Amino acid sequence: MSASEIRWALNIAKWRPTGHEWAQALSLISEKEQERICRFSFKRDAKASLIGQLMLHKLVRETLNVPNNKIQFARTDRGKPYLPFVNLPFSFNVSHQGAYTVMAASPKS
């Protein structure tokens, strides 16, 4: 893995947010994504999706110096998040399985 590649993994089973912490985390993403996450039937799926969104926000903030409140992801027809009107200099993927949510990003070739 080169220095410019990013790999993050979080064991979401270990994160047991209070109601206040959950609301704070949700407030960091767009209302549209908040609504999508709140529609999940299972809390673990909502947690995995929220953590994935927070990872993407962190990636954009740290690599493009965009303030969190200016980050507005859209989704492709297949559900993959992207930033409209921004040509990201990297490819990324977020996935969750079992207790983990992971995010990987690497420079576009």
Side-chain angles (χ1 to χ4, degrees):
M1 180 166 55
S2 74
S4 59
E5 292 179 334
I6 297 170
R7 305 287 185 266
W8 293 330
L10 183 69
N11 183 336
I12 62 170
K14 293 183 178 184
W15 182 48
R16 294 184 180 96
T18 64
H20 178 72
E21 290 167 337
W22 181 259
Q24 278 187 307
L26 274 176
S27 75
L28 297 172
I29 63 173
S30 73
E31 284 186 34
K32 189 173 185 177
E33 286 298 318
Q34 290 177 35
E35 292 168 4
R36 185 185 66 80
I37 287 169
C38 289
R39 285 194 303 264
F40 281 102
S41 297
F42 297 104
K43 184 74 168 186
R44 73 175 176 269
D45 295 333
K47 256 193 337 184
S49 187
L50 176 56
I51 292 298
Q53 279 290 306
L54 294 174
M55 287 177 166
L56 288 176
H57 278 248
K58 180 178 171 61
L59 175 69
V60 171
R61 277 193 324 269
E62 291 184 359
T63 58
L64 301 178
N65 297 316
V66 176
N68 196 65
N69 63 345
K70 301 292 183 192
I71 301 170
Q72 295 289 320
F73 284 97
R75 291 191 174 267
T76 67
D77 292 340
R78 301 187 85 186
K80 182 174 174 68
Y82 70 96
L83 282 174
F85 313 112
V86 176
N87 186 12
L88 297 175
F90 47 81
S91 298
F92 67 87
N93 191 42
V94 176
S95 184
H96 39 86
Q97 178 65 40
Y100 284 89
T101 296
V102 297
M103 196 268 323
S106 58
K108 286 184 178 174
S109 46

